[in-house]
Amino acid sequence: MKYEIIQTAPYPTAEFTFQRKSGDIGTAKRTCDKKTWKVEIRFDGISIQMIYDKRNGSICSLIKDIFTFSPPRINSYQLVSKGKQCGEIFKCQGYYRLRLNECRYSACAIGFGSAGIKYPVFDGFPDRKYNPTGKQTALIETSNSGKLLDHYYVASLDSTAGVVAMLFGLYIDYDAFYKSDRYSEKTYLESYGRWKQLYDPAFKEHIAD
């Protein structure tokens, strides 16, 4: 499965469309108020919300991490489908992490300078040495500059991996490329060592459109 995530309206109330060769497969719209940030998502027949509660999200997460001796989670968003929480997505120790319907996934940013940024997506959370514990299920690619309106190319093994990559893509855009409508941030990432070894250039060659 190959598709694109295309930003069509800037932050703070950003909008996105999801497209395949056959046409549009969904939309996402971000809304903000004094209490919550919410992303309403429609993707390939699935409806899901990504919600951050500014009143207690960071405090509750911090307390939970302290008492469970867990690494701190950053910008944790709750995932809600049909009125019920079905997971969460957050950043921890350099990885993006996702829990969805009792399954775990992770993604990391690998910079290739002018060639762009690659975000491989893996089954499972990384181990204590920060290595992926499962196989790669998707790849997200984008340019190495934060433009006012961003564009991502996604290749995934199947529809489930496509949903996972879509959630990571939206979360990564906010985490790495958040911009207001008056400011366009320039970013440049070049990775070295073991990070570049996580990128498999042949991964997307075996995935059909």
Side-chain angles (χ1 to χ4, degrees), residues 14 22 31 42 52 68 74 83 94 110-111 120-121 148 154 162 170 180 187 208:
S22 57
T31 59
R42 302 287 185 274
Y52 178 77
T68 59
I74 301 172
I110 307 173
V121 178
L148 188 60
V154 179
L170 292 175
S180 73
T187 188

Side-chain angles (χ1 to χ4, degrees), residues 6-20:
I6 304 169
Q7 187 177 1
T8 57
Y11 289 99
T13 53
E15 295 182 22
F16 300 83
T17 61
F18 309 109
Q19 292 183 354
R20 298 190 70 181

Side-chain angles (χ1 to χ4, degrees):
M1 178 180 184
K2 290 183 179 179
Y3 65 93
E4 299 173 37
I5 302 173
I6 304 169
Q7 187 177 1
T8 57
Y11 289 99
T13 53
E15 295 182 22
F16 300 83
T17 61
F18 309 109
Q19 292 183 354
R20 298 190 70 181
K21 279 190 173 181
S22 57
D24 291 352
I25 57 172
T27 61
K29 183 175 181 179
R30 186 174 184 269
T31 59
C32 306
D33 59 34
K34 293 182 179 179
K35 297 180 180 180
T36 60
W37 297 333
K38 183 184 297 183
V39 184
E40 296 279 356
I41 303 166
R42 302 287 185 274
F43 179 81
D44 206 18
I46 296 172
S47 176
I48 193 168
Q49 296 176 324
M50 188 184 297
I51 303 171
Y52 178 77
D53 191 330
K54 293 185 287 186
R55 295 169 297 178
N56 57 20
S58 59
I59 296 176
C60 291
S61 177
L62 178 61
I63 293 174
K64 181 179 179 181
D65 293 340
I66 290 174
F67 282 97
T68 59
F69 301 99
S70 300
R73 294 178 294 171
I74 301 172
N75 291 336
S76 179
Y77 277 68
Q78 303 304 307
L79 302 175
V80 176
S81 179
K82 298 180 180 179
K84 296 182 179 180
Q85 184 175 338
C86 59
E88 63 179 333
I89 187 169
F90 56 95
K91 192 174 182 180
C92 180
Q93 295 181 313
Y95 271 85
Y96 299 100
R97 306 189 188 197
L98 167 67
R99 291 190 180 95
L100 182 64
N101 297 327
E102 307 301 326
C103 296
R104 295 183 174 189
Y105 307 92
S106 58
C108 61
I110 307 173
F112 285 83
S114 60
I117 306 176
K118 320 291 184 181
Y119 298 91
V121 178
F122 302 95
D123 273 333
F125 284 177
D127 60 23
R128 293 185 178 182
K129 294 183 178 180
Y130 313 117
N131 297 309
T133 55
K135 70 176 182 179
Q136 184 176 350
T137 61
L139 176 67
I140 305 168
E141 299 177 285
T142 191
S143 65
N144 214 345
S145 60
K147 299 179 181 179
L148 188 60
L149 298 177
D150 297 314
H151 198 137
Y152 300 86
Y153 299 89
V154 179
S156 61
L157 294 180
D158 52 34
S159 58
T160 298
V163 172
V164 169
M166 176 273 298
L167 292 171
F168 273 126
L170 292 175
Y171 183 88
I172 287 167
D173 189 78
Y174 173 73
D175 179 75
F177 299 113
Y178 176 90
K179 299 162 290 292
S180 73
D181 57 359
R182 298 180 181 178
Y183 177 69
S184 182
E185 178 185 354
K186 198 76 173 179
T187 188
Y188 188 87
L189 179 63
E190 180 78 42
S191 300
Y192 299 93
R194 72 174 185 86
W195 287 104
K196 280 195 173 180
Q197 296 175 9
L198 295 178
Y199 172 62
D200 177 10
F203 174 81
K204 63 182 179 180
E205 295 178 2
H206 307 291
I207 296 176
D209 294 337

